[in-house]
Amino acid sequence: RSYVLGDRTTEVVELVKKMFEIDDVDGTLTERQAVKDLEMHHGINITRGVLRNLKHAGGLKCYPEINVPDITPQQASKRFNYVHELLESKETFRDWIWSDECIVQVGGNRRMITTSNKYDKRRLTGVRKFAKKLMVWAAITWDGPGPITFLEEGETLGAHGYIGILEDFLLPFIDNWKGRVRAVFQQDMAPCHTAKDTKAKITEWGIKTAPWAPASPDMNPIEYVWKDMKHWIGKNRNPKTRSAIQDAALFYWQNILTKERCRAHITHVIENMEHIKRCNGGPIVDKWKYNN
């Protein structure tokens, strides 16, 4: 019970909850504006400090925004149709090979320092003005990690370079794995993937490709591999040079990324597809439970 509001405390707590959770559709209501609205529309004159106490009493907490893909209604429809078809066909993904590119950067992961002193000097780390970066192309399967290669410093990946990577690394792997008749190659909609020359070469090689939905990194298990790899490199190696990044990434790929880890990421993506279907193709947040 608030000393300021007396017997109206419970009533105002419910009003504040309604203002922030129901009426504030876009999540843009500030405490300052809420205080003004309470006075103007309900005749309740309180300070922002009292408002915070009322929010706390109502179980309201402040959480930071979470970045999710900005998915249009058309993209959501395509995502829904894509996952619906895969789930209905009970696709197991045993013959799929998932591929993508990734940039690994020096200092890309921040360490967590345990201390009681926020001015602890261990929290300070040198930052280069022009950080060393390394672009990686790789692929994974249900049976474990596939090929991996690294671009030269300063090299950009266009259609010609991408075709070269597929020819040098993907084709030999597929031929030694399940063959071009069974294997299904997945790639997202990056320009070098969808270029006319790239499509022509893939057709010429006789490789089956999987359809892909727009704005759907949450349906590509290799995205979770990249996250895992960057975390491992930052925690265990903390490389300072481009060659050290490459050595760390290669070690991770050959020794840390096991068949079991690949399968866990692919299984996670299948679970994501269930969530995406429930959300009618809209964005999902990892580890959130959707009850609707």
Side-chain angles (χ1 to χ4, degrees):
R1 172 171 167 163
S2 168
Y3 173 77
V4 175
L5 297 170
D7 294 336
R8 296 193 64 188
T9 301
T10 302
E11 173 195 345
V12 179
V13 165
E14 292 302 318
L15 178 59
V16 168
K17 287 183 66 176
K18 180 176 180 294
M19 289 174 65
F20 280 96
E21 287 193 317
I22 299 175
D23 297 340
D24 184 24
V25 177
D26 299 323
T28 56
L29 180 64
T30 64
E31 290 183 344
R32 187 185 302 275
Q33 185 61 47
V35 168
K36 288 182 179 179
D37 289 349
L38 285 170
E39 182 177 8
M40 184 179 301
H41 301 297
H42 304 280
I44 300 171
N45 188 4
I46 59 174
T47 64
R48 290 169 64 186
V50 173
L51 177 64
R52 292 192 188 102
N53 291 337
L54 294 172
K55 289 167 65 178
H56 179 74
L60 298 175
K61 296 181 181 180
C62 294
Y63 296 97
E65 288 183 327
I66 298 174
N67 293 328
V68 296
D70 189 9
I71 297 173
T72 66
Q74 293 79 9
Q75 290 173 331
S77 176
K78 290 179 180 179
R79 278 164 55 87
F80 176 84
N81 292 334
Y82 178 74
V83 298
H84 177 75
E85 183 177 338
L86 288 173
L87 293 173
E88 287 296 309
S89 66
K90 302 189 185 302
E91 175 61 62
T92 63
F93 302 103
R94 300 299 193 269
D95 297 330
W96 284 44
I97 177 167
W98 314 78
S99 71
D100 198 15
E101 300 83 32
C102 167
I103 293 178
V104 186
Q105 179 176 323
V106 169
N109 292 287
R110 289 193 293 181
R111 298 172 298 152
M112 299 299 292
I113 306 299
T114 302
T115 178
S116 60
N117 175 19
K118 73 175 182 178
Y119 302 108
D120 192 320
K121 291 185 178 180
R122 292 177 299 165
R123 295 183 60 199
L124 305 179
T125 183
V127 178
R128 292 175 176 266
K129 185 175 181 180
F130 302 104
K132 294 294 184 182
K133 299 178 181 180
L134 178 70
M135 178 172 274
V136 186
W137 175 91
I140 66 168
T141 71
W142 180 261
D143 296 324
I148 182 171
T149 187
F150 307 94
L151 274 68
E152 296 294 332
E153 187 170 7
E155 181 183 0
T156 57
L157 192 59
H160 179 73
Y162 183 62
I163 290 170
I165 287 176
L166 298 184
E167 192 165 19
D168 293 342
F169 296 94
L170 180 70
L171 289 183
F173 176 80
I174 287 180
D175 290 339
N176 292 326
W177 180 49
K178 294 197 173 185
R180 303 184 193 186
V181 174
R182 288 184 58 189
V184 179
F185 176 52
Q186 178 280 326
Q187 56 181 356
D188 61 24
M189 302 175 74
C192 61
H193 301 172
T194 58
K196 183 178 179 180
D197 290 346
T198 303
K199 291 181 177 180
K201 273 294 182 182
I202 290 176
T203 301
E204 177 186 323
W205 293 330
I207 296 177
K208 289 190 295 185
T209 57
W212 194 243
S216 298
D218 47 12
M219 285 192 273
N220 191 346
I222 203 168
E223 295 288 350
Y224 297 99
V225 173
W226 296 142
K227 181 179 179 181
D228 190 34
M229 183 179 76
K230 290 177 180 179
H231 175 77
W232 184 89
I233 290 174
K235 181 179 179 181
N236 296 280
R237 292 298 180 88
N238 195 26
K240 300 298 183 182
T241 65
R242 192 175 184 279
S243 61
I245 299 174
Q246 181 168 326
D247 291 343
L250 195 58
F251 183 88
Y252 169 87
W253 206 260
Q254 295 174 342
N255 299 278
I256 307 301
L257 184 60
T258 61
K259 174 175 68 176
E260 289 71 26
R261 284 199 181 204
C262 290
R263 291 185 176 183
H265 291 311
I266 293 170
T267 301
H268 180 73
V269 160
I270 296 172
E271 294 171 355
N272 280 355
M273 290 181 178
E274 295 281 1
H275 294 326
I276 291 167
K277 186 176 179 180
R278 288 197 202 108
C279 294
N280 295 315
I284 64 170
V285 180
D286 233 6
K287 299 181 181 178
W288 278 21
K289 303 298 182 184
Y290 288 86
N291 299 316
N292 54 325

